Amino acid sequence: MDYTSKRNIKKEIGYQAVFWISLLIFGLARNYGEHEQPNFKEIFYYDLCHWIFQIISANFIYFVLIRKYFDHRKYLHFSFFFLISNYFLGIFNRIFIVYLAEPLFVNYPQDNFISIFIDVKYLLFHYIFPILSGSFIFISIMYVFRYQNEKQTAIQLQKEKTELELKALKSQLHPHFLFNTLNNIYSLSIIDPSKTSQSIERLSDILDYTLYKGQKRLVAITEEMKMIHDYIELEKLRYDNRLKINVLENLSFPAYIPPLLYLSLVENAFKHGAQKTSGEIEINISIDTKTDVVIFKVENSKFTKQDHEKSRIGLENVKKQLELYYKNNYSLAINEKEDKFSIEIITPRNED
């Protein structure tokens, strides 16, 4: 039995204790106030006997009849056993009072068994209805608790499902990012071996971020931007003065985002922009944290027709992350022109 089940059982026992004790006290107060010269001892014993059978009946109806028949849409079976069980519970309640309880505090003549069984009208108004009244209140409240528990369980399951999907996306993203970066370093080692050690040092910082910070649900934008600067410096080692990068940061308010969200877009800009040409390259990156939203935009030069199937893999991953983290509360704008390709993401300003 897991922790949640134990907690629910303890909660249910506590609820039942409070509910039934309150019902007994309320019944005693009501019956005591209805008599001009009440006998508290007699009222107490009668109410206690009815109270015991209310508890038995309510739990039997809810945990046996409703769970076994009503919940499974076996309404005919439920109706049949409901009528039979309440009839016999009324009989047992009357036998219990007449033959076990009353001799302890009054000296009334005892009804015979036959009259107890056949006097349906008396059973109905003096035993079955009182039993059902308490049962009805109990079952109604139990349904409210049940709805709340099922709702919480559904939310928890959805949360776990979302976390698993995010982990799956990250497991796809990390190797993809690492593979591209290692390819870049390999190319650099051929072009200019003297810069290889610098590139490996930059890569180690990025890997430290992806392996540790990347496992968190959210990271500070300042941390993500630091990794973007490290990645830019790593890429600069591969290019000469033909690479022009503009980074505009307006971090007026602290904010948090899913890790690697922005870094993936910057990597995508280099992969499908800078790598596709030997001419002058321009990449513009801007981020603006406002009071309620964060705006991030990446724009890169585009010289050739991109391989859409390959270039969209990273973007599809980003879209899935946005959907899982923010549901419909985000904006993703992709603008593709003949010589420019830009992506803008607007997300709520999370404060961790």
Side-chain angles (χ1 to χ4, degrees):
M1 186 179 294
D2 58 22
Y3 172 76
T4 303
S5 298
K6 289 181 180 179
R7 185 180 63 181
N8 288 338
I9 290 173
K10 289 181 179 179
K11 182 179 178 181
E12 192 173 286
I13 292 173
Y15 155 69
Q16 289 225 32
V18 172
F19 173 79
W20 290 115
I21 291 173
S22 301
L23 187 67
L24 176 63
I25 294 172
F26 174 78
L28 287 171
R30 184 194 61 186
N31 291 330
Y32 189 83
E34 287 179 351
H35 297 80
E36 294 183 1
Q37 295 180 337
N39 183 332
F40 180 78
K41 182 180 179 181
E42 183 175 327
I43 291 173
F44 175 78
Y45 279 118
Y46 276 120
D47 282 3
L48 183 63
C49 292
H50 288 300
W51 181 71
I52 292 170
F53 279 86
Q54 281 179 326
I55 295 174
I56 296 171
S57 176
N59 281 274
F60 178 77
I61 292 171
Y62 181 74
F63 290 104
V64 178
L65 298 184
I66 289 179
R67 290 293 180 90
K68 187 175 181 180
Y69 298 111
F70 193 85
D71 287 351
H72 293 85
R73 299 184 179 181
K74 297 180 180 179
Y75 302 126
L76 187 62
H77 291 80
F78 171 79
S79 301
F80 174 76
F81 287 114
F82 177 81
L83 294 173
I84 294 297
S85 61
N86 278 285
Y87 171 71
F88 280 102
L89 281 168
I91 289 173
F92 293 147
N93 190 6
R94 188 174 179 186
I95 291 173
F96 181 83
I97 290 176
V98 171
Y99 289 95
L100 295 177
E102 283 185 345
L104 297 177
F105 59 92
V106 293
N107 188 22
Y108 293 152
Q110 295 180 336
D111 298 328
N112 58 63
F113 277 94
I114 295 176
S115 65
I116 290 175
F117 272 84
I118 64 174
D119 194 352
V120 177
K121 184 178 179 180
Y122 189 83
L123 277 174
L124 189 64
F125 287 98
H126 291 83
Y127 290 91
I128 297 176
F129 278 173
I131 288 175
L132 288 177
S133 62
S135 300
F136 177 78
I137 299 171
F138 170 79
I139 292 169
S140 299
I141 299 176
M142 284 299 291
Y143 260 101
V144 174
F145 277 99
R146 181 175 168 181
Y147 171 77
Q148 291 177 341
N149 289 336
E150 289 176 352
K151 187 176 180 180
Q152 289 174 355
T153 301
I155 292 172
Q156 182 63 29
L157 289 173
Q158 183 60 41
K159 182 180 178 182
E160 292 174 359
K161 179 176 179 288
T162 301
E163 289 175 354
L164 288 173
E165 290 176 349
L166 285 169
K167 287 180 181 179
L169 288 173
K170 288 178 181 179
S171 68
Q172 295 172 11
L173 185 60
H174 294 175
H176 176 260
F177 179 81
L178 179 59
F179 176 77
N180 291 331
T181 306
L182 287 174
N183 270 344
N184 294 343
I185 293 175
Y186 174 72
S187 301
L188 183 63
S189 68
I190 297 174
I191 299 170
D192 190 350
S194 63
K195 294 181 179 180
T196 305
S197 59
Q198 290 179 264
S199 63
I200 292 174
E201 183 181 355
R202 294 286 183 183
L203 177 61
S204 66
D205 292 336
I206 295 171
L207 286 178
D208 181 71
Y209 178 79
T210 59
L211 291 173
Y212 296 102
K213 299 290 185 180
Q215 301 305 316
K216 294 183 177 181
R217 188 176 185 278
L218 296 172
V219 295
I221 281 182
T222 52
E223 294 180 317
E224 183 87 355
M225 291 305 298
K226 180 181 181 300
M227 285 302 100
I228 288 175
H229 284 293
D230 285 341
Y231 181 76
I232 290 172
E233 292 302 316
L234 178 62
E235 290 291 343
K236 279 181 177 179
L237 296 173
R238 298 181 57 211
Y239 302 96
D240 50 27
N241 293 332
R242 66 193 179 92
L243 177 63
K244 182 181 180 182
I245 299 178
N246 302 306
V247 181
L248 179 62
E249 297 183 49
N250 180 22
L251 304 177
S252 303
F253 301 91
Y256 291 78
I257 59 165
L260 304 177
L261 182 65
Y262 295 164
L263 192 58
S264 302
L265 297 178
V266 174
E267 188 261 350
N268 193 71
F270 275 96
K271 181 181 178 183
H272 301 292
Q275 289 183 19
K276 300 296 181 180
T277 182
S278 58
E280 187 174 307
I281 307 142
E282 183 177 358
I283 296 177
N284 299 312
I285 301 169
S286 66
I287 183 167
D288 186 8
T289 59
K290 298 183 180 295
T291 56
D292 55 347
V293 296
V294 179
I295 304 171
F296 182 80
K297 185 175 181 179
V298 180
E299 183 182 68
N300 61 271
S301 304
K302 185 167 76 74
F303 296 89
T304 60
K305 187 176 181 180
Q306 296 185 12
D307 186 337
H308 286 277
E309 186 175 350
K310 291 182 178 179
S311 66
R312 299 290 179 178
I313 294 175
L315 294 181
E316 288 301 319
N317 194 302
V318 169
K319 287 180 182 179
K320 289 178 182 177
Q321 285 195 75
L322 289 168
E323 289 171 3
L324 290 171
Y325 274 103
Y326 301 108
K327 305 302 180 186
N328 296 319
N329 192 23
Y330 74 92
S331 172
L332 174 63
I334 300 174
N335 188 10
E336 188 170 3
K337 298 180 180 179
E338 187 174 342
D339 61 342
K340 294 286 185 181
F341 183 85
S342 66
I343 301 175
E344 183 183 72
I345 295 177
I346 303 176
T347 55
R349 189 178 71 85
N350 292 318
E351 297 185 35
D352 203 4

